[in-house]
Amino acid sequence: MDSSFNGSRTKNSANKLMVESQLSDSFNLDGILSELGSFGKYQLLFLLLLSFRDSFLAMCNFNYVFTADEVKFRCAIPECDTPTPSFNATWTSFALPNTTDTCYRMAPLLEDRFNRTGQNVQSLPNKADPPYTCSPEYFDANRTLRCDKLVYEDYNSIVAEFDLGCEPWKRTMIGTVHNLGLVFSFIISGIISDRYGRKVIIVGTPLVVGVVGLVKSFSVKYWMLLVLEFFETAFGYGNASMVLSLEMVSQKRRVIFSSMSDVLCSLGSAFFGLIAWMVPYWRHLMWAIYAPLLVVVFYIFLIDEGVRWLLVHNRKDEAVRVLHKVAKFNNITLSSKATDMMTKITERNKTSQTEPPVEQERLHLLSLLSSKKIIIRVAIISVSFICCTYVYNGTIITSTSVLGNKYLNFSALHLVSIPTRLLTAYTFTKFGRKIPICVAYCLCAVFFVASAFVPKSFYWVSTLLYLAGRMCSSYGMFSMTVVAMEVFPTKSRNSLTNVANTIGRIGSILAPQAPLLEKYMSGLSSIIFGIVSLGPALLAFLLPDTSKVSLPDDITEAENLDVRPEESDPTCSVPASGEYRERF
């Protein structure tokens, strides 16, 4: 009896939400956003604020590329080294093996003599006392010993300061732990963003990253740094800024607008290479990139909540207030039709009775779990993100090992993202979503594999091919993220995208290990990047093309994205935005 009553109550609640959704169809947000324009004063200020935030977050996100950079080292040779040893020395040819960055040294011949006489090796005479001299005759060319101490080329990196030269897994573990923390970050930020608003994440996560990062810069032990690295990423970052960028403009401009947002972010991120060049010591570098994030606290007064999120969560009065604010800021007079719609929706909001928020959340979750199409999309995008993030992050991490200046290489890899964003805006508008992503990742595979087989004497050719592959990877990563956000409904857009992104972080967790592949074969990491790139190229064809449709607000609209317009229910269609004055 109780179960039938609860089932009836759930069905009635779902019907009530459906009726509300149909009533709100007359409110054409895309039409109003078209009137407000996409690049007015309000939107440009928004882009600048986001670019500052996202640029420094991107720097912090890849801080370990330079702070945990590999440093050349050698064994300390007490028989030859001075009290303040220098990395380069004339005697290394006979005191050290021919291989570089080795943790072994040539054994001294006198060690056998002292051991046979029973004298402690530690009591060997110093190099000033004969016959204990730094000469080729003193060292056994056929036997090596493990180093007791290392001498580094410089002491700017975590590797040198915490003496990780002979433990390379500890160096790469910093990047792995960093990306492991992002797994938790995307889950937490997605839930908070969809439930409490985009603004909470926009303001909150940079403050967490800034504070924890500054504390991390004072780490005195390796394990202390590793724990703080995890906490920084686990409770910071997220992609709410991109979600908000997609949601705040009309359907025709959303890819262009989000592309411009990412262009500004890439331009800012490129400065990280130059900052690291000017401030090489890892603690000072952290201060330079983490401290500016504390300024984001003032975004509480400068950034408005997303209109789509406010409408979906029945906060229509606030949504209308934001729309009026944009119109006033841009000196735009809305049409009478747009004004009437905003007036009616606020009046309806005062008189309508809806289910409690908890009940609505439960019904929405049940609908998501029962939607086979949504679950399949999450699975497809998750696998795509595993491949995308491995290639995208791996190319940045290995960029410091590419021939040339490592700082300029890093900056160049971010600068090449700028033309790719402009190309994304054009190709997505002209050719849809699937074909551009497939072509980009196929070219990515060709460029990376080709770069691995270029002779070292033509290093500039290898660098150009690597940069071309990086451009395609950047194009594909951004494009796949846009598509992921377009195929999910507003109420759970960030949560579902971040679920897929969280699973996709498997790729970014593995990416810091990519440099280790070079120890087995030169160019092997580039070959793997090329092979993995074929994954998203094929999976893109399994997703719907969202280039000519509005962002779905509910699950029904999301499920029908791959249904042709003539096959869908005309009563549920949104009025064409062409009825409104389109502004750029």
Side-chain angles (χ1 to χ4, degrees):
M1 183 71 174
D2 289 341
S3 61
S4 62
F5 174 76
N6 290 333
S8 176
R9 182 171 178 270
T10 301
K11 185 176 180 180
N12 291 336
S13 300
N15 289 336
K16 185 180 291 186
L17 290 177
M18 187 178 298
V19 169
E20 276 191 19
S21 176
Q22 291 173 350
L23 286 172
S24 63
D25 283 340
S26 59
F27 184 77
N28 186 4
L29 179 60
D30 267 343
I32 297 174
L33 293 175
S34 296
E35 289 195 25
L36 293 173
S38 302
F39 292 96
K41 288 187 292 183
Y42 181 91
Q43 289 86 356
L44 291 177
L45 176 61
F46 174 82
L47 284 176
L48 290 174
L49 290 173
L50 277 195
S51 65
F52 176 85
R53 169 194 182 272
D54 294 346
S55 294
F56 279 98
L57 273 181
M59 294 180 194
C60 298
N61 192 29
F62 287 105
N63 77 89
Y64 59 89
V65 174
F66 293 114
T67 58
D69 191 19
E70 191 171 10
V71 185
K72 291 182 179 180
F73 63 89
R74 65 169 176 81
C75 274
I77 309 296
E79 302 90 334
C80 298
D81 273 319
T82 62
T84 56
S86 173
F87 175 76
N88 296 310
T90 57
W91 43 259
T92 56
S93 58
F94 57 80
L96 298 173
N98 291 328
T99 55
T100 58
D101 297 344
T102 180
C103 296
Y104 292 87
R105 52 158 289 178
M106 310 310 298
L109 289 173
L110 288 182
E111 185 182 68
D112 290 336
R113 184 193 311 168
F114 277 86
N115 281 336
R116 285 195 297 269
T117 59
Q119 188 175 350
N120 191 336
V121 177
Q122 299 297 327
S123 63
L124 284 170
N126 61 55
K127 65 178 182 180
D129 300 328
Y132 203 72
T133 59
C134 180
S135 61
E137 296 78 14
Y138 178 81
F139 296 93
D140 187 346
N142 299 315
R143 192 163 62 90
T144 58
L145 294 175
R146 190 166 181 85
C147 302
D148 293 324
K149 187 179 179 182
L150 298 177
V151 175
Y152 293 88
E153 186 176 30
D154 63 66
Y155 288 80
N156 292 324
S157 171
I158 290 168
V159 174
E161 185 145 337
F162 293 141
D163 198 18
L164 308 180
C166 289
E167 298 174 294
W169 64 271
K170 283 188 175 182
R171 180 181 72 85
T172 56
M173 182 60 66
I174 296 172
T176 298
V177 168
H178 179 97
N179 286 284
L180 184 62
L182 289 177
V183 172
F184 295 89
S185 173
F186 277 97
I187 293 176
I188 295 169
S189 66
I191 294 173
I192 294 175
S193 176
D194 283 336
R195 183 152 189 174
Y196 299 104
R198 318 304 192 205
K199 186 175 177 179
V200 176
I201 299 299
I202 294 288
V203 178
T205 52
L207 296 179
V208 172
V209 172
V211 171
V212 177
L214 289 174
V215 175
K216 183 178 66 175
S217 69
F218 293 97
S219 297
V220 294
K221 296 289 185 181
Y222 169 78
W223 296 108
M224 175 184 175
L225 181 137
L226 208 63
V227 169
L228 290 172
E229 191 76 40
F230 176 81
F231 275 104
E232 174 197 326
T233 53
F235 299 100
Y237 302 98
N239 57 359
S241 60
M242 188 171 182
V243 174
L244 191 55
S245 298
L246 284 171
E247 292 180 344
M248 76 176 301
V249 294
S250 64
Q251 175 258 322
K252 290 184 179 180
R253 307 295 186 204
R254 66 176 183 243
V255 175
I256 298 175
F257 190 79
S258 57
S259 296
M260 290 303 298
S261 175
D262 211 69
V263 163
L264 293 174
C265 177
S266 297
L267 189 61
S269 302
F271 280 101
F272 183 37
L274 302 179
I275 294 172
W277 197 357
M278 299 300 294
V279 189
Y281 183 49
W282 70 276
R283 294 186 192 272
H284 298 164
L285 179 59
M286 284 188 176
W287 298 347
I289 62 176
Y290 282 99
L293 285 174
L294 301 181
V295 177
V296 177
V297 69
F298 296 106
Y299 282 28
I300 296 173
F301 312 104
L302 300 173
I303 295 286
D304 294 306
E305 185 56 81
V307 175
R308 288 186 183 275
W309 184 88
L310 291 171
L311 289 172
V312 168
H313 286 77
N314 205 35
R315 293 164 62 175
K316 298 181 175 64
D317 291 342
E318 294 179 53
V320 170
R321 180 185 59 79
V322 173
L323 291 173
H324 280 302
K325 178 181 177 180
V326 177
K328 183 178 180 180
F329 206 89
N330 289 348
N331 294 321
I332 290 174
T333 303
L334 292 171
S335 65
S336 57
K337 185 173 183 179
T339 305
D340 289 343
M341 280 195 301
M342 289 192 288
T343 302
K344 289 178 181 178
I345 201 171
T346 52
E347 291 175 351
R348 186 188 305 153
N349 188 46
K350 294 175 182 178
T351 58
S352 62
Q353 295 292 327
T354 61
E355 291 287 333
V358 175
E359 182 67 15
Q360 290 188 22
E361 291 289 340
R362 190 177 71 86
L363 292 172
H364 183 72
L365 179 61
L366 290 174
S367 299
L368 284 176
L369 295 176
S370 62
S371 175
K372 189 177 293 184
K373 280 188 178 181
I374 297 295
I375 293 175
I376 291 174
R377 281 178 198 168
V378 171
I380 292 171
I381 294 172
S382 297
V383 177
S384 298
F385 273 151
I386 291 175
C387 302
C388 293
T389 57
Y390 178 77
V391 177
Y392 182 83
N393 289 283
T395 53
I396 293 178
I397 294 168
T398 56
S399 67
T400 56
S401 62
V402 177
L403 294 175
N405 185 294
K406 63 183 179 181
Y407 303 106
L408 295 180
N409 286 343
F410 182 90
S411 295
L413 288 182
H414 280 279
L415 288 175
V416 297
S417 298
I418 295 176
T420 63
R421 297 299 177 264
L422 302 177
L423 189 62
T424 302
Y426 174 76
T427 54
F428 264 36
T429 304
K430 185 80 172 176
F431 304 106
R433 305 293 192 254
K434 299 180 182 181
I435 294 177
I437 292 176
C438 179
V439 172
Y441 273 113
C442 285
L443 290 175
C444 187
V446 172
F447 289 138
F448 278 130
V449 173
S451 70
F453 295 98
V454 175
K456 289 186 177 180
S457 56
F458 295 95
Y459 71 91
W460 58 273
V461 177
S462 177
T463 302
L464 287 177
L465 289 171
Y466 194 89
L467 284 174
R470 164 64 185 173
M471 286 182 68
C472 294
S473 168
S474 177
Y475 177 100
M477 182 69 192
F478 178 76
S479 301
M480 188 60 71
T481 304
V482 170
V483 171
M485 293 179 180
E486 289 181 333
V487 298
F488 297 130
T490 299
K491 197 166 187 177
S492 54
R493 179 167 295 125
N494 212 9
S495 295
L496 292 177
T497 302
N498 284 349
V499 166
N501 221 323
T502 296
I503 299 173
R505 286 292 144 184
I506 294 174
S508 60
I509 290 172
L510 297 174
Q513 308 301 324
L516 298 179
L517 295 173
E518 296 298 313
K519 296 183 180 296
Y520 301 97
M521 172 185 166
S522 178
L524 181 58
S525 60
S526 295
I527 295 173
I528 299 299
F529 292 152
I531 295 172
V532 174
S533 297
L534 297 176
L538 299 175
L539 291 172
F541 286 102
L542 301 178
L543 294 170
D545 196 305
T546 55
S547 58
K548 299 183 184 299
V549 295
S550 299
L551 290 175
D553 286 326
D554 55 44
I555 296 173
T556 303
E557 290 179 7
E559 289 178 328
N560 292 332
L561 284 175
D562 49 2
V563 178
R564 294 177 182 176
E566 60 268 19
E567 297 175 3
S568 61
D569 185 358
T571 61
C572 295
S573 61
V574 178
S577 59
E579 299 175 15
Y580 300 86
R581 301 193 303 272
E582 179 75 24
R583 296 177 188 268
F584 196 82

